[in-house]
Amino acid sequence: VSDTADPTGTWSTFGFEPQVNASTPAPGYHYVLPDFPALGLSSDKIVVAANLFQIDNSYSFAGSGVWVMPWSEVIANGSATAHFESWSTLFSIRPAHNLSPSAAVHLIGTDSLDYVVHARVTGFGGTLSISTFDEIPGLDPLWDTGASYNLAPRQLGSPAKIVKSANDQITEAVWANGHLWFVSNYPKSFDGGATWNLAARFTDIAVDAGSPVVNADRLQDGNGTDYFMPGIGISANGTVFATWNRSSALEYVSLEAGATPDGVNWSMPITIASSSSPYTMTGGRWGYAVGIAQDPNGTAAVWQTGEVVQNDGTWRTVISRLILDGVAPSASAPTQELVAGTSINSQVSVRIRWTASDAGSGLAGVRVGRCAASPCVADPPYVGWQTGTTFATREYWVSSPPAPTDLSWRYQYAVAATDGAGNASDTMVGYALAPVLTQQTTSVAYTGVWKNASGASYSGGSAKYSTAVGAKATFTFNGRSVGFVSFKALGRGKVKIYLDGKLKGTFSLANATTQARRIIYATTTTAATHKLMLVVVSGRVDVDAFVVLK
């Protein structure tokens, strides 16, 4: 167990030596080997289950066992006390992965006749209780007695079958919102028992109200095709995901997946990965690297592990993200804003900002389109994928007062988001705006002592400046973003800036290096008449120009 939330940090290991009371090879307690272990978690406990084989009796089958330990002891990073209990007649007990808030852990397994049985683990320590394993009413046994327990899937090439790959065991179980899903191998015949195929079995039972009730019991099967070693998992939005291996005498092993949003209607299977050669490890097991876990970054996604054949005939593990997401992402219409701390020349820096989100599979990206001289259409000429929610660009400005032909050259932007499943949002189009540069002599009212300055470093070759404390310059404008352009250098002073009477801050124009035509302050506004007022605080303050997006 990781000591912190960071899995790349330190870990604590807890070990237990299980024993069972048996009459062979001699009466008494004998050490056993836990095989095919499984892990179940709840809000207050950890449950581990495993099949048991006697070490000192030729590894003969000794039943199944369960260990229960409290989270509190594990989190303390000290020694953990595990309560151990075993059942000699039960096989393949799986503690369900608890995906809904609950202190109980559900156990699912099979009895000596291959009927499925269920129990609950509640409490721990002095309040620990493991209920009696009860048979699931109305559910067929896990294995048809007419089929061999050594039933093996077929494959293309040699050997013709994959041995040690399937039996009557439950491979995985999950619990969420009162539904307990478990999966297993299952024999299926299409000719009355003359020949048998392997099928993947997916079962959903309701376990929270009285006796368990079967909600669904489904096979992934096909005549002449084997489906085996299935996995099961549930995403955060309740979608059930399943995986399985597939093979036949005419095809190598492949790894497939399907999903259901409601437990009844399943998607068409997809192939995750395929093998290109037969599995030749005749003494090796197959299919134990099966697992499906919720993706914390997408409510409609899970991560899975499974197996296909390596090129050298061994197996390899495949890890992939599975998504069943039919809901498109959302995106907002982009806005434009001037950028403080940039300088103007023939162009002005503009930041395009938007929001985009997708809870199901997560955002894959956002395309940003720019249109000029004509309005954006539903699918504008996009400028590429964006990884964030802003896009920096530069736009050519027009002088104030602009001619009608100037304002026909407005810049407009559109965004469209795409999620991890390929769903696309509607194209959202923002306002068409043009940067209008206003010199200090237009639409500006001055009070106090102001003087004229000239030079090539100023916008338009001229500026107004003042060293009189309290001198004011008020710019009246209409637009969606405004920027104050000044001159920064050694010896320059400070200025207070007000927008519609509200102080926005005191800004220093002093700088070790000269920065001409600098946007000192910029903000977004509404399409209404506004007043930007400058008040000299100290030193020299230059009023060079104003930029408005309108």
Side-chain angles (χ1 to χ4, degrees), residues 155-157 252-253 274-280 309-314:
Q155 67 173 349
L156 178 63
Y252 300 122
V253 177
S274 299
S275 307
S276 58
S277 61
Y279 183 63
T280 58
V309 182
Q310 188 83 314
N311 291 335
D312 62 359
T314 61

Side-chain angles (χ1 to χ4, degrees), residues 334-525:
T335 60
Q336 301 181 47
E337 59 187 42
L338 297 166
V339 183
T342 61
S343 298
I344 66 169
N345 38 53
S346 61
Q347 291 180 301
V348 177
S349 294
V350 176
R351 180 182 292 112
I352 316 304
R353 192 185 299 274
W354 63 90
T355 61
S357 62
D358 184 84
S361 53
L363 286 176
V366 175
R367 292 184 299 163
V368 181
R370 183 168 77 178
C371 314
S374 61
C376 280
V377 294
D379 192 16
Y382 288 104
V383 295
W385 288 100
Q386 307 301 317
T387 56
T389 54
T390 61
F391 173 70
T393 187
R394 291 181 66 82
E395 299 175 356
Y396 288 97
W397 53 266
V398 295
S399 297
S400 177
T405 54
D406 291 333
L407 290 182
S408 67
W409 187 268
R410 283 185 166 100
Y411 296 88
Q412 191 176 30
Y413 296 85
V415 298
T418 302
D419 65 17
N423 302 307
S425 71
D426 293 335
T427 299
M428 307 300 293
V429 181
Y431 293 107
L433 303 173
V436 177
L437 184 67
T438 300
Q439 298 302 328
Q440 78 283 350
T441 57
T442 307
S443 302
V444 184
Y446 295 93
T447 59
V449 179
W450 291 86
K451 298 179 180 180
N452 294 321
S454 61
S457 296
Y458 294 116
S459 172
S462 65
K464 290 272 191 183
Y465 75 93
S466 178
T467 57
V469 175
K472 300 176 182 178
T474 303
F475 173 57
T476 302
F477 69 96
N478 188 303
R480 293 190 176 274
S481 184
V482 65
F484 163 52
V485 181
S486 187
F487 193 93
K488 299 188 74 171
L490 286 172
R492 289 307 197 265
K494 295 181 179 180
V495 59
K496 286 185 176 180
I497 299 180
Y498 296 80
L499 179 64
D500 296 332
K502 295 181 179 180
L503 178 64
K504 296 300 177 180
T506 300
F507 299 84
S508 175
L509 304 180
N511 203 67
T513 59
T514 299
Q515 295 177 340
R517 300 181 300 277
R518 197 73 167 175
I519 296 180
I520 305 302
Y521 168 77
T523 188
T524 56
T525 54

Side-chain angles (χ1 to χ4, degrees), residues 62-353:
S64 289
V66 169
W67 293 259
V68 183
M69 64 198 79
W71 263 117
S72 58
E73 294 185 3
V74 173
I75 293 174
N77 297 332
S79 60
T81 303
H83 173 86
F84 173 68
E85 193 163 337
S86 63
W87 299 265
S88 62
T89 59
L90 298 184
F91 178 67
S92 188
I93 295 177
R94 302 280 94 181
H97 301 299
N98 202 334
L99 302 181
S100 293
S102 175
V105 173
H106 294 273
L107 304 176
I108 200 83
T110 58
D111 62 15
S112 58
L113 299 177
D114 267 330
Y115 283 96
V116 180
V117 292
H118 165 262
R120 291 182 182 86
V121 182
T122 57
F124 60 82
T127 63
L128 174 66
S129 173
I130 302 178
S131 67
T132 302
F133 278 89
D134 294 321
E135 183 181 315
I136 307 298
L139 192 63
D140 291 339
L142 210 62
W143 203 261
D144 192 309
T145 56
S148 169
Y149 281 103
N150 294 320
L151 189 63
R154 292 150 291 186
Q155 67 173 349
L156 178 63
S158 179
K161 292 185 177 182
I162 304 174
V163 298
K164 293 186 179 180
S165 58
N167 54 26
D168 57 332
Q169 64 191 16
I170 295 171
T171 55
E172 197 168 17
V174 292
W175 177 86
N177 302 318
H179 290 256
L180 175 59
W181 284 86
F182 62 93
V183 291
S184 61
N185 301 305
Y186 187 78
K188 176 66 181 291
S189 177
F190 291 88
D191 54 14
T195 58
W196 292 89
N197 302 268
L198 276 168
R201 186 176 182 179
F202 306 93
T203 308
D204 168 24
I205 60 175
V207 294
D208 278 2
S211 298
V213 176
V214 179
N215 292 322
D217 192 26
R218 174 183 177 271
L219 294 179
Q220 181 69 30
D221 58 9
N223 193 2
T225 304
D226 293 313
Y227 298 86
F228 55 102
M229 295 308 294
I232 194 80
I234 303 176
S235 64
N237 69 357
T239 300
V240 178
F241 288 83
T243 58
W244 57 84
N245 286 117
R246 166 182 170 154
S247 67
S248 72
L250 301 177
E251 58 186 313
Y252 300 122
V253 177
S254 60
L255 178 62
E256 296 186 333
T260 173
D262 55 12
V264 177
N265 300 293
W266 286 78
S267 67
M268 291 294 293
I270 63 169
T271 300
I272 299 174
S274 299
S275 307
S276 58
S277 61
Y279 183 63
T280 58
M281 293 183 65
T282 56
R285 294 184 180 272
W286 177 276
Y288 287 92
V290 175
I292 298 179
Q294 284 187 0
D295 186 338
N297 294 320
T299 60
V302 297
W303 286 91
Q304 72 81 35
T305 62
E307 292 178 50
V308 292
V309 182
Q310 188 83 314
N311 291 335
D312 62 359
T314 61
W315 58 267
R316 62 185 176 92
T317 301
V318 176
I319 302 173
S320 59
R321 189 179 193 234
L322 303 178
I323 301 168
L324 184 64
D325 182 9
V327 179
S330 62
S332 67
T335 60
Q336 301 181 47
E337 59 187 42
L338 297 166
V339 183
T342 61
S343 298
I344 66 169
N345 38 53
S346 61
Q347 291 180 301
V348 177
S349 294
V350 176
R351 180 182 292 112
I352 316 304
R353 192 185 299 274

